[in-house]
Amino acid sequence: DDVIKNAGGYTPDAQKNNVYVKHLNGRSIKYKKYWRNPKVLDGSIVIVGKKPDQEPFDATEYAKEVTGILANLAQVLSLVFLATNS
């Protein structure tokens, strides 16, 4: 935690549960918040994963999709109603 704090802390899109310490010998060890953690030796690299990009919620697109579904449902109900009353 101290190494990450000294480097400026986590960014908003950092995966805090996806942190690895890569040593000079090539060995990579996962950081666990509450258990025995690897020592960060001189020359080690701390790798923090990035959250996957998410599309922002688009209310207009959502309304368009819901309207289409409701229109299809209304058509089916109309056909069922007409078929049962004939």
Side-chain angles (χ1 to χ4, degrees):
D1 280 342
D2 292 336
V3 172
I4 293 172
K5 286 178 188 172
N6 289 336
Y10 291 106
T11 62
D13 61 344
Q15 280 185 324
K16 295 178 183 177
N17 60 348
N18 190 15
V19 179
Y20 289 87
V21 176
K22 184 174 180 182
H23 295 290
L24 288 175
N25 63 5
R27 187 170 175 221
S28 182
I29 304 170
K30 183 167 176 128
Y31 167 81
K32 299 174 189 93
K33 190 164 182 108
Y34 300 108
W35 301 103
R36 291 182 289 165
N37 289 312
K39 292 189 184 237
V40 180
L41 305 172
D42 287 340
S44 296
I45 299 171
V46 177
I47 302 167
V48 180
K50 181 183 174 198
K51 291 179 185 175
D53 293 334
Q54 287 183 316
E55 272 187 46
F57 179 74
D58 186 3
T60 305
E61 188 68 27
Y62 179 76
K64 185 172 83 171
E65 294 293 330
V66 169
T67 303
I69 292 169
L70 292 175
N72 289 337
L73 182 61
Q75 287 178 347
V76 169
L77 291 175
S78 296
L79 287 173
V80 169
F81 179 76
L82 290 173
T84 56
N85 287 337
S86 299

